[in-house]
Amino acid sequence: MRPGYGRGPTPYGDAVTAQVIVLNGGSSCGKSGIARCLQAVLPRPWLAIGVDMLVEAMPAAMRASDDGIEFAADGGVLVGPEFRALELAWMAGVAAMVRAGARVIVDDVFLGGAASQDRWRQALVGLDVLWVGVRCAAEVVAGREIARGDRVGGMAASQADVVHDGVAYDMEVDTTRAESLACAREIAARVVGTEG
Amino acid sequence: MRPGYGRGPTPYGDAVTAQVIVLNGGSSCGKSGIARCLQAVLPRPWLAIGVDMLVEAMPAAMRASDDGIEFAADGGVLVGPEFRALELAWMAGVAAMVRAGARVIVDDVFLGGAASQDRWRQALVGLDVLWVGVRCAAEVVAGREIARGDRVGGMAASQADVVHDGVAYDMEVDTTRAESLACAREIAARVVGTEG
Amino acid sequence: MRPGYGRGPTPYGDAVTAQVIVLNGGSSCGKSGIARCLQAVLPRPWLAIGVDMLVEAMPAAMRASDDGIEFAADGGVLVGPEFRALELAWMAGVAAMVRAGARVIVDDVFLGGAASQDRWRQALVGLDVLWVGVRCAAEVVAGREIARGDRVGGMAASQADVVHDGVAYDMEVDTTRAESLACAREIAARVVGTEG
Amino acid sequence: MRPGYGRGPTPYGDAVTAQVIVLNGGSSCGKSGIARCLQAVLPRPWLAIGVDMLVEAMPAAMRASDDGIEFAADGGVLVGPEFRALELAWMAGVAAMVRAGARVIVDDVFLGGAASQDRWRQALVGLDVLWVGVRCAAEVVAGREIARGDRVGGMAASQADVVHDGVAYDMEVDTTRAESLACAREIAARVVGTEG
């Protein structure tokens, strides 16, 4: 994380070093569970904002059109130019929330790997970000997808590796054998440890 | 709406006059249905961002604490200082999404009436906003709350009037007898009619 | 309703004449809202059991296969032999709940019109059933589908008429202009009015 | 399982030995995930019917009254006489579905321990049942409850042991370290291994 940040007071009291925690991982790898556990274990309130929220905010028509997002039969996700434009505005908005004093946990799926991270990096420029990769073995994630019962089959497996392509992390967690809460505690230790 | 806005190009093409549509009304009055219909009838993509999304983004603990939001037995909603601080940051973020080129439909419940509108006004300063009041007769809204089956009984009735207290609108719609789609078309006519 | 029923005591107290209320209507016509309102206005507890619950109970694979249920691009629904077999068992089960003393509101979409009613009639033989048709003008239901935002576009319109084909009702309600609660009160008046 | 069952044909083809699989375990222990995985790995279609479905079918008023079900502040669940009566009718209905040819996975929380099992035993008399206990270490289940974010805190922990009190099982699985899919495969091996 960037040195020299975090000396001024915020609406919430003393400054902390990490203002944003970005969780990146494939579908069903456990990001949103980790985000909720982070909210429970971190001493101050953090907002949890996921890409699911952005998709929900989009017009229904964009989920099934060339301009929007499309869920392919093999579980892949295709994103069109209109989606991309709204996504950039969304990222700018999330960054502004942080600049206005909110702590934010971002939960995303970097379908474009390093290019996705670059987009977030530009949006979050000047802010202290903890980049966290959330891994899970492909066969485990495929099983969890079946257990959840609410996703297109194969989405998890198709995303398991590609979302980490060329992405740089401050730390990584692996939910293959670790519980969400244990992963959250690992992450929180990093955040709180850098407070000061 | 503010004159003189909307001459420059945006990432989405020609400028339009309204960049933000704010829907304000009590629980179960039909705001989110109108928002989805607006997304369907407006020619360009708009994001629909509601206060429900903010509540969902908050830590679970804040929904049942003095610092957060609390659903009283009579359906009233109490909001604490931590909630308020995160809400202000959220508003700043939504405004930044608009400044970055997204059109946004905000769906909110002005529990503080005019004071709530003032907070949005400050966040959205310099942007073209269409303020829309969404009304519904108290006894009708109470019935819809029962039909939805997913809310604390009495929330709708307790909010029906107070949320409009001292709030200034560009237009109002009433869902007592009109369908969401018809209300959305009324609103869209105002937005599109001012394009150019 | 069948004469001569309803003399013996049930686990809930005095006998009533209607043991089952079957609501039939197309998708998004307001059946489940009416069912929840009926639960609120009827003096004794009724279970509300809808076809959505059956679909949810089915294996996920059956929702996208030749043997199960399929949502066509135009909003139509196709049902395979395996679905049909499980549906018959489900109907037998619902009937058994009623014979064991529960009052049940069934909320269904008679995709087969009169043939669907025959299947329910056979399952419910010997029980007192109030058959209720739930109508809604096609253009209104199409708008509500957009407002709900959670269905395949066009499902409502494609089902609006076909589900009533050849079906015999004790009464009909129309949600085009009436609220769910008002419809529920009309129905409840019939049920309570025939108590003895 | 009972010897002598399963010689006649069913609507689905050859007879199998287990007609019902009952999964019993505390809240958030992973029962419904195992049920969905069982549906995916078992060769024929099985219905998955959980106690959540019964609660959803009940009148909303019964979830907050002396006659119905109540979620205590410590996560405990209290059940009144009206709930009990509807539950017995529900059990009779599920049994009738099986007698009509459906295979059913029941997912329940035996709040009454052995007494709950007795009620199911009486409903399912004459049917071949595989009784499966689903265990999970209390601290793990408490963490998963936080990760899910949708339950009253402490429900999982308060139920972890009491639901197994005096209950007799054909087999047990433990989700503390095993995935839902792995547990489902263990169970399926028992079911399929006894086919014939």
Side-chain angles (χ1 to χ4, degrees):
Chain A
M1 283 179 285
R2 189 164 300 99
Y5 162 78
R7 278 174 218 120
T10 76
Y12 304 108
D14 297 340
V16 295
T17 297
Q19 302 166 286
V20 187
I21 301 171
V22 178
L23 305 175
N24 173 48
S27 174
S28 290
C29 77
K31 295 178 307 295
S32 61
I34 293 174
R36 279 188 287 264
C37 288
L38 273 169
Q39 291 184 302
V41 300
L42 287 165
R44 303 188 194 166
W46 287 69
L47 292 178
I49 296 182
V51 68
D52 286 355
M53 217 175 252
L54 169 59
V55 171
E56 196 192 329
M58 298 244 175
M62 285 187 61
R63 289 170 211 154
S65 84
D66 289 353
D67 290 338
I69 191 168
E70 197 169 339
F71 296 94
D74 70 348
V77 177
L78 309 170
V79 161
E82 289 281 22
F83 184 97
R84 185 68 71 220
L86 289 174
E87 188 191 31
L88 284 176
W90 175 267
M91 288 170 168
V94 171
M97 291 178 197
V98 182
R99 291 193 181 97
R103 290 171 198 83
V104 177
I105 302 160
V106 168
D107 149 15
D108 201 358
V109 182
F110 287 3
L111 295 172
S116 300
Q117 187 174 31
D118 280 346
R119 281 191 289 272
W120 272 115
R121 246 197 257 270
Q122 287 178 32
L124 300 172
V125 69
L127 298 171
D128 261 326
V129 183
L130 184 74
W131 298 95
V132 182
V134 183
R135 303 261 181 183
C136 188
E139 68 275 13
V140 168
V141 96
R144 288 183 193 165
E145 196 173 49
I146 295 169
R148 288 164 62 142
D150 57 1
R151 299 291 167 121
V152 181
M155 182 182 292
S158 83
Q159 296 179 353
D161 290 324
V162 68
V163 301
H164 298 292
D165 241 31
V167 179
Y169 295 116
D170 292 305
M171 66 183 294
E172 297 189 37
V173 293
D174 190 322
T175 66
T176 307
R177 266 174 221 93
E179 296 289 315
S180 297
L181 184 56
C183 295
R185 285 191 175 127
E186 259 186 86
I187 299 166
R190 270 297 279 276
V191 174
V192 176
T194 55
E195 279 189 18
Chain B
M1 281 179 287
R2 188 164 300 100
Y5 162 77
R7 279 175 215 119
T10 76
Y12 303 109
D14 297 340
V16 295
T17 297
Q19 301 165 286
V20 187
I21 301 170
V22 178
L23 306 175
N24 174 47
S27 175
S28 290
C29 77
K31 296 178 306 296
S32 61
I34 293 175
R36 278 187 287 263
C37 288
L38 273 170
Q39 291 183 301
V41 300
L42 285 166
R44 302 189 195 166
W46 287 69
L47 291 178
I49 297 182
V51 68
D52 286 355
M53 217 175 252
L54 169 59
V55 172
E56 196 192 330
M58 297 245 175
M62 286 187 62
R63 288 170 212 155
S65 85
D66 289 354
D67 292 337
I69 191 168
E70 197 169 339
F71 297 94
D74 69 347
V77 177
L78 310 170
V79 161
E82 290 280 22
F83 184 97
R84 185 67 70 219
L86 289 174
E87 189 191 29
L88 284 176
W90 175 268
M91 288 169 168
V94 172
M97 289 178 197
V98 181
R99 291 194 181 96
R103 291 171 196 82
V104 177
I105 302 159
V106 168
D107 149 15
D108 201 359
V109 183
F110 287 2
L111 295 171
S116 299
Q117 186 175 33
D118 280 346
R119 281 193 288 272
W120 271 115
R121 246 197 258 272
Q122 287 177 33
L124 299 172
V125 68
L127 298 172
D128 262 326
V129 183
L130 184 74
W131 298 95
V132 182
V134 184
R135 303 261 181 184
C136 188
E139 67 275 14
V140 168
V141 96
R144 288 183 193 165
E145 197 172 48
I146 295 169
R148 288 165 60 142
D150 56 0
R151 298 290 167 121
V152 181
M155 182 181 292
S158 83
Q159 296 179 352
D161 291 324
V162 68
V163 301
H164 298 292
D165 242 31
V167 179
Y169 296 117
D170 293 304
M171 66 183 294
E172 296 189 38
V173 293
D174 190 322
T175 66
T176 307
R177 266 173 221 93
E179 296 288 315
S180 297
L181 183 57
C183 295
R185 285 193 174 126
E186 259 187 85
I187 299 167
R190 268 299 277 278
V191 173
V192 176
T194 55
E195 278 191 18
Chain C
M1 282 180 286
R2 190 163 299 100
Y5 162 77
R7 280 177 214 118
T10 76
Y12 305 108
D14 296 341
V16 295
T17 297
Q19 302 165 285
V20 187
I21 301 170
V22 177
L23 306 175
N24 174 48
S27 174
S28 290
C29 77
K31 296 177 307 294
S32 61
I34 294 175
R36 278 188 288 263
C37 288
L38 273 170
Q39 291 184 302
V41 299
L42 286 166
R44 303 189 194 164
W46 287 69
L47 291 177
I49 296 182
V51 68
D52 285 357
M53 216 174 254
L54 170 59
V55 171
E56 196 193 327
M58 297 244 175
M62 285 187 61
R63 289 170 211 155
S65 84
D66 290 353
D67 291 337
I69 191 168
E70 197 168 340
F71 297 95
D74 69 348
V77 177
L78 310 170
V79 161
E82 289 281 21
F83 184 96
R84 185 67 71 220
L86 289 174
E87 188 191 32
L88 285 176
W90 175 267
M91 288 171 168
V94 171
M97 290 178 197
V98 181
R99 291 193 181 97
R103 290 171 197 83
V104 177
I105 302 159
V106 168
D107 150 14
D108 201 359
V109 182
F110 287 2
L111 295 172
S116 300
Q117 185 174 34
D118 280 346
R119 281 193 288 274
W120 271 114
R121 246 197 257 272
Q122 286 178 33
L124 299 172
V125 68
L127 298 171
D128 262 326
V129 183
L130 184 74
W131 299 95
V132 182
V134 183
R135 303 261 181 184
C136 189
E139 69 275 13
V140 168
V141 95
R144 288 182 192 165
E145 196 173 50
I146 294 169
R148 289 164 60 143
D150 57 1
R151 298 293 168 120
V152 180
M155 183 182 291
S158 82
Q159 296 179 352
D161 290 326
V162 68
V163 301
H164 298 292
D165 242 31
V167 179
Y169 295 117
D170 293 304
M171 66 183 293
E172 297 188 38
V173 293
D174 190 322
T175 66
T176 308
R177 267 174 220 91
E179 296 288 315
S180 298
L181 184 57
C183 295
R185 284 192 175 126
E186 260 187 86
I187 299 167
R190 268 298 278 277
V191 173
V192 176
T194 54
E195 279 190 18
Chain D
M1 280 181 286
R2 190 164 299 99
Y5 162 76
R7 281 180 214 113
T10 77
Y12 304 109
D14 296 341
V16 295
T17 298
Q19 302 166 285
V20 187
I21 301 171
V22 178
L23 306 174
N24 174 48
S27 174
S28 290
C29 78
K31 295 178 307 294
S32 62
I34 293 175
R36 278 188 288 264
C37 288
L38 273 170
Q39 290 184 302
V41 300
L42 286 165
R44 302 191 194 162
W46 287 69
L47 291 178
I49 296 181
V51 69
D52 285 356
M53 217 174 253
L54 169 59
V55 171
E56 195 192 328
M58 298 245 175
M62 287 187 61
R63 289 171 212 155
S65 85
D66 289 353
D67 291 337
I69 190 169
E70 197 169 339
F71 296 94
D74 69 348
V77 177
L78 308 171
V79 162
E82 289 281 21
F83 185 97
R84 185 68 71 219
L86 289 174
E87 189 191 30
L88 285 176
W90 174 268
M91 287 170 168
V94 172
M97 289 177 197
V98 181
R99 290 194 183 97
R103 290 170 197 84
V104 178
I105 302 160
V106 168
D107 151 13
D108 201 357
V109 182
F110 287 2
L111 295 171
S116 301
Q117 186 174 33
D118 281 346
R119 281 193 288 273
W120 271 114
R121 245 197 258 270
Q122 286 177 33
L124 299 172
V125 69
L127 298 170
D128 262 326
V129 183
L130 185 74
W131 299 94
V132 181
V134 182
R135 303 261 180 183
C136 188
E139 69 275 13
V140 168
V141 96
R144 288 183 192 164
E145 196 173 49
I146 295 168
R148 287 166 60 143
D150 56 1
R151 298 293 167 118
V152 181
M155 183 182 290
S158 83
Q159 296 179 353
D161 290 325
V162 68
V163 301
H164 298 292
D165 242 31
V167 179
Y169 296 117
D170 292 304
M171 65 184 294
E172 296 189 38
V173 293
D174 190 322
T175 66
T176 308
R177 266 174 219 92
E179 296 289 315
S180 298
L181 184 56
C183 295
R185 285 193 175 126
E186 259 186 86
I187 299 167
R190 268 298 278 276
V191 174
V192 175
T194 54
E195 280 190 17

